[in-house]
């Protein structure tokens, strides 16, 4: 089975926007892969005028929030860096027991890459410096700039959501059959680890497991 | 045999898919149906029960609105497209000033504009050559189709929340304000093409079709990319204002003659919001129902098409048989079957006849022709009160409608409103009175007290005069409750009945217009104060 890969459009977000943006994107993806019986739950974002849908599973919500917390911690240690979060869906296949391993194998059939560029607001950055005078006069232009920027982020987020919808619509054949009693397919969220090289190795390992991925722009 | 069974399952999937999509769309676009569903969902959440209809496509949406059952029946030909138009009904800008209401120079409220802001088309196309898979393949085939349909429905559900119309729906669904617009819907098996001008502002999105061996299920949406062209605004509440120069005021010269009717000074209704009187142009509303939308239709015939969802669930169970629809007063409609099947073939646009006058054509309602009979009738239901006369050297007398005093100051007894007053009264737009959204959700309630008989009269009268309005209202809601399709920002017949106690605190329609003296019941002033200062 091919592993379908979707690279989502990069979003430039500020630190305080990370949580909402990631929740929106990750839950939207999972909702389209939670093919068991769900009671959809509409969630209105606070920072943007966007409503996304959760599949209503409390456990899932907790796990996603945990991963987002880890990611935010990583971002705080690696400011002003581009980062990628990978949401993968897999099937569990029992491997032939061998001398070295008796584990089950994960066959990844779909991977989503959420690309974020976390920036810091210039004013916020300058205010931290002890030797720099605090700029006290935002004025209308700063407010306008902020709202303009917010509108751009909202539009970009909307584009990403449409991208998800387009992908799930166009690629359906690779989705495994639905198991009775299962709400959503097994999934895995990978965030950058403390060292970038380790993150890269994780990705290479996954690619080797999943075979020849199809890259989508 | 096996083929027939598999083919039957596929038809079942397609049929249920259409119902589910309709449910999703209406639940996300029609505020009145959303309120109904939301209330039921609150109940079902507490009981944690999943209905049979919810199990289809593994998407729990709650109870289907009754209208869906009738629509399903009418659109049961699976190869007919199902076209769902979401229509924005927008009234012109309104004045927020009380003075303007009475001012002859104040412009009247513009006619309601209706614009299709979204069109959803669900189609199941039959290919020219139908491949017949073998037994095992057929079984796998319909399971795959079902899975793909689930995914399609998920993406549609998400997309509905991202389109511009959702924002309007959210605004209307909030109970905090009323607006000068509303969302209604129209379901039919075909669609009128958009004009070039309309098309220029629309975008289209076509969902990837679900291909089956015996057909192809496709969904597309054409939507307005932006709704900023519409002046969609909340209705501004009246600023509190004390009217000092009312008849009987100590400061008013009792011999003063008030302005004549053409200046609107003897407006018989008091708008609760700063709305403008309606224009004289007829209210054009699409008669949007597919022929299947008729309360008289029992929904039992749909049961043959429905069944249990496919293998992912437990043992198949029969589809719930919905109870027959009810009329406005909760009475089951037994004999209202209309030959809608004939209508399906005969008319380009499906029209439903109103429940009380099935023979009435869906004519343009007359209530916006410069008057608002419902509103003024409403006003006549207020109990008259006594008004103390100022001490002006004459003997103090009290106005009493029941007094045998032949004084011309006496208020006449309540009586049905004459048409003469209809033409002369200032009317507030129909949408104003449904300021209470909760009332819009109630059905079959009749006002208490003095109004009972009158409201019954009003119902009868309305059924004759406003049949078009009923049919249109019914067509957009599909609910047995009149006017249920609209949010409470719209006028609804139900709102009229519910609000009779205080929305229009008085009615002076029965006062002789030629009388130079104008009598405004004290109840008006009281109600004004109460309303302006809740």
């Amino acid at each position: 089975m091919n592993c379908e890969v979707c690279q989502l459009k990069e979003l430039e977000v500020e630190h305080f926007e990370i949580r909402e943006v990631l929740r929106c994107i990750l839950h939207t993806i999972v909702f389209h892969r939670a093919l068991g019986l769900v009671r959809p739950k509409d969630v209105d974002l606070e920072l943007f005028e966007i409503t996304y849908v959760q599949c209503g599973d409390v456990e899932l919500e907790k796990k996603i929030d945990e991963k987002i917390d880890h990611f935010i911690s990583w971002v705080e240690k690696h400011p002003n860096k581009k980062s990628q979060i990978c949401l993968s869906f897999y099937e569990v296949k029992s491997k032939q027991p061998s001398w070295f391993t008796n584990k089950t194998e994960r066959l990844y059939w779909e991977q989503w890459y959420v690309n974020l560029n976390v920036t810091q607001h210039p004013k916020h950055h300058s205010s931290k410096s002890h030797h720099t005078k605090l700029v006290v006069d935002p004025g209308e232009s700063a407010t306008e700039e902020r709202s303009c920027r917010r509108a751009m982020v909202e539009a970009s987020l909307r584009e990403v959501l449409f991208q998800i919808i387009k992908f799930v619509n166009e690629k359906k054949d690779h989705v495994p059959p639905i198991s009775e009693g299962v709400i959503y397919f097994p999934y895995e969220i990978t965030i950058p680890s403390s060292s970038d090289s380790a993150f890269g190795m994780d990705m290479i390992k996954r690619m080797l497991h999943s075979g020849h991925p199809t890259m989508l722009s | 045999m096996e083929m027939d069974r598999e083919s039957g399952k596929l038809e079942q999937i397609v049929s249920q898919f259409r119902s589910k999509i309709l449910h999703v769309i209406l639940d996300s676009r029609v505020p009145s149906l959303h309120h109904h569903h939301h209330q039921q969902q609150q109940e079902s959440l507490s009981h944690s029960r999943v209905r049979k209809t919810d199990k289809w496509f593994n998407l729990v949406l709650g109870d289907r609105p009754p209208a869906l059952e009738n629509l399903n029946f009418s659109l049961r030909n699976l190869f007919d497209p199902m076209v769902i138009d979401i229509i924005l009904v927008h009234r012109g800008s309104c004045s927020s000033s009380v003075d303007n209401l009475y001012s002859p120079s104040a412009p009247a409220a513009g006619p309601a504009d209706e614009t299709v802001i979204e069109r959803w088309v669900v189609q199941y196309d039959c290919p020219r050559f139908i491949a017949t898979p073998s037994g095992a393949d057929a079984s796998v085939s319909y399971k795959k189709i079902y899975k793909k349909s689930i995914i399609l429905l998920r993406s549609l559900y998400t997309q509905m929340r991202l389109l511009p119309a959702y924002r309007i729906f959210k605004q209307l669904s909030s109970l905090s304000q009323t607006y000068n617009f509303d969302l209604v819907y129209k379901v039919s098996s075909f669609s009128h093409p958009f004009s070039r001008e309309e098309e220029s502002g629309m975008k289209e999105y076509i969902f990837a079709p679900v291909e089956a061996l015996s057909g192809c299920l496709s969904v597309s949406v054409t939507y307005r990319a932006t709704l900023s062209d519409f002046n969609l605004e909340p209705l501004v509440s009246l600023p509190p204002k004390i009217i000092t120069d009312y008849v009987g005021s100590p400061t008013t010269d009792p011999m003063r003659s008030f302005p004549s009717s053409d200046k609107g000074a003897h407006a018989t209704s008091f708008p609760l919001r700063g709305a403008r009187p309606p224009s004289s142009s007829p209210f054009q509303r699409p008669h949007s129902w597919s022929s299947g939308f008729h309360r008289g239709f029992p929904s039992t015939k749909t049961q043959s098409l429905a069944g249990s969802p496919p293998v992912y669930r437990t043992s198949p169970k029969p589809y719930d048989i919905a109870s027959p629809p009810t009329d406005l007063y909760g009475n089951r409609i037994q004999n209202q079957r209309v030959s809608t099947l004939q209508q399906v073939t005969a008319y380009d646009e499906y029209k439903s006849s109103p429940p009380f006058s099935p023979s009435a054509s869906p004519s343009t309602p007359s209530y916006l022709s410069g008057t608002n009979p419902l509103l003024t009738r409403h006003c006549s239901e207020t109990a008259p009160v006594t008004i103390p006369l100022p001490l002006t050297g004459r003997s103090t007398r009290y106005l009493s409608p029941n007094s045998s005093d032949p004084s011309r100051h006496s208020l006449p007894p309540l009586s049905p409103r004459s048409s003469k007053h209809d033409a002369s009264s200032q009317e507030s737009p129909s949408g104003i009175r449904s300021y209470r959204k909760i009332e819009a959700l109630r059905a079959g309630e009749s006002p208490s007290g003095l109004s009972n008989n009158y409201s019954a009269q009003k119902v009868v009268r309305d059924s004759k005069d406003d049949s078009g309005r009923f049919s249109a209202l019914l067509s957009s809601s599909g609910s047995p409750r009149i006017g249920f399709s609209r949010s409470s920002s719209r006028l609804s017949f139900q709102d009229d009945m519910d609000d009779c106690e205080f929305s229009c605190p008085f009615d002076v329609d029965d006062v002789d217009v030629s009388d130079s003296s104008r009598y405004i019941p004290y109840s008006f002033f009281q109600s004004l104060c109460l309303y302006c200062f809740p």
Side-chain angles (χ1 to χ4, degrees), chain B residues 121-181:
Chain B
V121 180
V122 183
Q123 193 140 8
Y124 181 54
D125 293 322
C126 185
R128 200 173 280 187
F129 301 104
I130 300 174
T132 49
S134 60
D137 291 342
S139 175
V140 170
S141 168
Y142 95 81
K143 285 181 192 174
K144 276 188 179 172
I145 290 161
Y146 186 61
K147 176 189 74 179
K148 291 180 183 179
S149 307
I150 292 175
I151 297 173
L152 173 55
L153 206 53
R154 295 274 197 277
S155 59
L156 187 141
Y157 192 95
T158 304
Q159 177 110 346
M160 290 228 66
R161 275 126 188 89
L162 298 177
L163 296 178
Y166 186 70
R167 220 161 131 183
I168 294 179
F169 165 76
K170 290 277 283 182
Q171 281 181 284
L172 288 170
S173 297
S174 76
L175 299 178
S176 56
Q177 277 191 319
T178 54
Y179 295 89
N180 65 345
F181 58 92

Side-chain angles (χ1 to χ4, degrees), chain A residues 28 31-42 44 49-53 154 158 161-162 165-181 183 185, chain B residues 41 44-45 48-50 54-55 57-61 147-159 161-163 166-167 170 205 207-210 223 311-314:
Chain A
T28 299
F31 177 67
H32 288 90
R33 292 295 177 250
L35 303 186
L37 187 67
V38 300
R39 194 186 298 269
K41 180 177 147 188
D42 293 348
D44 299 325
E49 287 205 40
I50 290 177
T51 300
Y52 71 95
V53 187
E154 184 179 311
R158 216 176 270 274
L161 297 178
F162 277 117
I165 291 170
K166 187 167 179 280
F167 181 84
V168 299
N169 261 276
E170 288 174 357
K171 307 279 178 181
K172 292 191 188 100
D173 290 323
H174 68 291
V175 179
I178 305 170
S179 305
E180 197 165 333
I183 296 176
F185 293 107
Chain B
Q41 201 175 31
S44 71
L45 277 171
S48 299
R49 65 188 177 101
V50 177
D54 287 333
K55 291 180 183 176
F57 306 99
N58 292 337
L59 199 64
V60 179
L61 298 176
K147 176 189 74 179
K148 291 180 183 179
S149 307
I150 292 175
I151 297 173
L152 173 55
L153 206 53
R154 295 274 197 277
S155 59
L156 187 141
Y157 192 95
T158 304
Q159 177 110 346
R161 275 126 188 89
L162 298 177
L163 296 178
Y166 186 70
R167 220 161 131 183
K170 290 277 283 182
Y205 184 82
F207 291 83
V210 174
Y223 62 96
V311 76
Y312 299 118
R313 302 271 61 83
T314 52

Side-chain angles (χ1 to χ4, degrees), chain B residues 111-126:
Chain B
D113 292 327
E114 299 188 348
T115 312
V116 177
I117 58 171
E118 268 182 16
R119 173 168 290 166
W120 296 84
V121 180
V122 183
Q123 193 140 8
Y124 181 54
D125 293 322
C126 185

Side-chain angles (χ1 to χ4, degrees), chain B residues 13-185:
Chain B
I13 291 173
V14 173
S15 170
Q16 288 296 328
F17 183 80
R18 282 157 61 105
S19 300
K20 202 82 175 186
I21 272 197
L22 188 56
H23 193 175
V24 167
I25 291 172
L26 298 187
D27 207 41
S28 313
R29 289 293 184 267
V30 182
S32 55
L33 293 179
H34 172 73
H35 288 141
H36 171 74
H37 163 239
H38 185 66
Q39 284 176 346
Q40 290 186 336
Q41 201 175 31
Q42 292 300 319
E43 295 164 8
S44 71
L45 277 171
S46 60
H47 299 301
S48 299
R49 65 188 177 101
V50 177
R51 295 167 185 81
K52 293 182 183 65
T53 54
D54 287 333
K55 291 180 183 176
W56 277 99
F57 306 99
N58 292 337
L59 199 64
V60 179
L61 298 176
D63 270 344
R64 290 181 181 177
L68 276 181
E69 307 302 335
N70 296 330
L71 285 170
N72 284 342
F73 179 71
S74 68
L75 298 173
R76 60 180 174 170
N77 184 352
L78 297 182
F79 295 104
D80 282 343
M82 184 170 72
V83 181
I84 306 156
D85 281 344
I86 304 297
I87 301 162
L88 175 70
V89 182
H90 177 225
R91 296 193 184 279
S93 59
C94 303
S95 165
S96 61
S97 165
V98 177
D99 293 335
N100 286 342
L101 184 69
Y102 296 93
S103 165
S105 59
D113 292 327
E114 299 188 348
T115 312
V116 177
I117 58 171
E118 268 182 16
R119 173 168 290 166
W120 296 84
V121 180
V122 183
Q123 193 140 8
Y124 181 54
D125 293 322
C126 185
R128 200 173 280 187
F129 301 104
I130 300 174
T132 49
S134 60
D137 291 342
S139 175
V140 170
S141 168
Y142 95 81
K143 285 181 192 174
K144 276 188 179 172
I145 290 161
Y146 186 61
K147 176 189 74 179
K148 291 180 183 179
S149 307
I150 292 175
I151 297 173
L152 173 55
L153 206 53
R154 295 274 197 277
S155 59
L156 187 141
Y157 192 95
T158 304
Q159 177 110 346
M160 290 228 66
R161 275 126 188 89
L162 298 177
L163 296 178
Y166 186 70
R167 220 161 131 183
I168 294 179
F169 165 76
K170 290 277 283 182
Q171 281 181 284
L172 288 170
S173 297
S174 76
L175 299 178
S176 56
Q177 277 191 319
T178 54
Y179 295 89
N180 65 345
F181 58 92
D182 198 2
L183 283 177
V184 299
Y185 68 103

Side-chain angles (χ1 to χ4, degrees), chain B residues 303-342:
Chain B
Q303 310 320 311
S304 60
L305 291 176
S308 65
V311 76
Y312 299 118
R313 302 271 61 83
T314 52
S315 59
K317 288 176 187 169
Y319 189 76
D320 274 341
I321 296 178
S323 56
T326 60
D327 62 5
L328 175 64
Y329 301 102
N331 303 315
R332 299 235 182 264
I333 295 178
Q334 301 296 333
N335 303 314
Q336 290 283 337
R337 190 186 297 264
V338 174
S339 56
T340 55
L341 287 175
Q342 291 174 354

